[in-house]
Amino acid sequence: MAKIKKKIRTITVNADKCNGCRTCEVMCSAFHAVPPYSSNNPGRSRIQIITDRLGDIWLPVFAGEYTEAECMGRNKYIIDGKEYRECDSCRASCPARDLFKEPDSGLPLKCDMCDGEDEPICVKWCLVDALSYEEREEEVEEEKPNMTQMEIGLEQFAKKHGLQTVIDTVTRMAKKG
């Protein structure tokens, strides 16, 4: 396989700086509203603050890939005297929890790094610099194309409502406009 240059975009989370203000959630939700900044529903945010207020734990986690199967990870980790469950730092949208699912449709959400912006909105608005952004180029093996978000969404609708219902609905919508 050929090597290509790929832009790698990463957000680093410093959980020790996070104070749980949730500005990142609010701004992410507003940015991804249609049209942008027209509404706010933190349930639609691609970043969620996993919290244990009594333990003074605030952990920003970004939405990752969708997975159909619930993992078996139930381990606990102690970092700087604070206890974290394995699910706390998991980025997957999975059947085990309601995080990173569109509230109305149940479709999985994934962080897109606010594509088209200079840097992700959550990083721009983080008041305590708990989030930082880095962009670099790396030489990587060329990947096979993945399913698009549209394909993933349609597949989930087909599983929930049946393929024929989805086909009939798309056909009816195509005739309207």
Side-chain angles (χ1 to χ4, degrees):
M1 233 182 237
K3 291 207 176 217
I4 58 169
K5 286 199 180 222
K6 183 177 182 180
K7 188 188 298 186
I8 307 294
R9 302 169 71 191
T10 58
I11 297 174
T12 302
V13 174
N14 184 340
D16 290 333
K17 289 184 175 182
C18 182
N19 63 8
C21 72
R22 294 198 146 122
T23 302
C24 56
E25 287 183 11
V26 170
M27 293 310 297
C28 177
S29 168
F31 176 78
H32 286 93
V34 179
Y37 303 106
S38 63
S39 66
N40 186 340
N41 179 347
R44 290 189 170 94
S45 178
R46 277 78 171 155
I47 182 173
Q48 298 284 322
I49 306 300
I50 307 300
T51 178
D52 174 3
R53 287 179 171 84
L54 295 177
D56 193 29
I57 296 173
W58 315 96
L59 182 63
V61 178
F62 294 89
E65 298 293 332
Y66 171 75
T67 180
E68 291 185 29
E70 180 179 339
C71 75
M72 300 309 293
R74 298 292 183 259
N75 299 320
K76 293 182 180 179
Y77 299 92
I78 297 176
I79 302 171
D80 291 332
K82 296 178 182 176
E83 186 178 283
Y84 298 90
R85 296 182 319 265
E86 200 164 21
C87 279
D88 290 345
S89 58
C90 181
R91 299 180 58 218
S93 173
C94 79
R97 60 188 185 169
D98 289 330
L99 280 182
F100 307 129
K101 292 182 183 158
E102 213 292 325
D104 295 331
S105 67
L107 292 173
L109 299 172
K110 181 181 177 191
C111 175
D112 59 2
M113 299 274 187
C114 299
D115 211 16
E117 295 290 309
D118 292 338
E119 68 179 347
I121 299 298
C122 60
V123 174
K124 283 182 188 177
W125 282 87
C126 183
L127 305 173
V128 293
D129 297 324
L131 306 174
S132 58
Y133 174 71
E134 179 187 0
E135 193 172 291
R136 65 186 184 286
E137 280 194 359
E138 286 185 7
E139 230 177 69
V140 295
E141 293 289 330
E142 194 171 15
E143 297 176 359
K144 293 179 183 177
N146 289 338
M147 285 187 3
T148 66
Q149 286 186 344
M150 177 70 75
E151 290 171 319
I152 292 170
L154 286 172
E155 182 179 65
Q156 293 307 308
F157 274 126
K159 285 181 181 177
K160 184 174 182 178
H161 302 286
L163 180 58
Q164 192 57 51
T165 303
V166 172
I167 291 170
D168 293 344
T169 303
V170 171
T171 303
R172 192 171 52 253
M173 290 171 65
K175 288 178 183 176
K176 285 182 181 178

